[in-house]
Amino acid sequence: MALTKRTYALPTEVLTPFEQAVSAGKRSALIAGLLGEWLEEQRREQLRREIIEGCREMADVMLEVEREFRPLDEEVWRALGDGP
């Protein structure tokens, strides 16, 4: 994995305890892991929104399909002498 150095400004009240808690040799790896987790969470949330939107868009189509096949379902149940 290629490493790229960047400069970001962080609030002192966040940076100071971070530097006290994490040794210098582990900070980049920890930040990379946290950013990776955050990015994965963002990706999953976007996918969740897209799935929900797709389901909403398909709801009318599925209702129409159900309306088309409902009479066939009822005919089968009648032929079997049983109810759904």
Side-chain angles (χ1 to χ4, degrees):
M1 171 189 339
L3 298 177
T4 304
K5 189 168 184 160
R6 295 282 190 248
T7 302
Y8 297 98
L10 300 171
T12 302
E13 61 270 11
V14 172
L15 188 57
T16 300
F18 172 74
E19 289 177 339
Q20 290 171 348
V22 181
S23 64
K26 296 182 179 180
R27 292 175 189 155
S28 291
L30 178 62
I31 291 171
L34 292 170
L35 286 173
E37 289 174 16
W38 183 83
L39 289 168
E40 177 62 16
E41 183 180 325
Q42 297 303 305
R43 186 193 68 78
R44 291 174 63 89
E45 182 58 32
Q46 179 61 33
L47 182 59
R48 181 184 157 297
R49 284 190 299 270
E50 290 171 4
I51 289 170
I52 290 170
E53 181 182 335
C55 288
R56 286 183 178 142
E57 290 174 1
M58 289 300 298
D60 290 339
V61 172
M62 295 306 294
L63 286 173
E64 184 59 34
V65 168
E66 195 278 333
R67 277 193 289 274
E68 289 177 19
F69 284 93
R70 184 69 176 173
L72 295 173
D73 286 344
E74 291 171 353
E75 184 178 333
V76 169
W77 286 112
R78 281 193 300 278
L80 293 174
D82 215 359

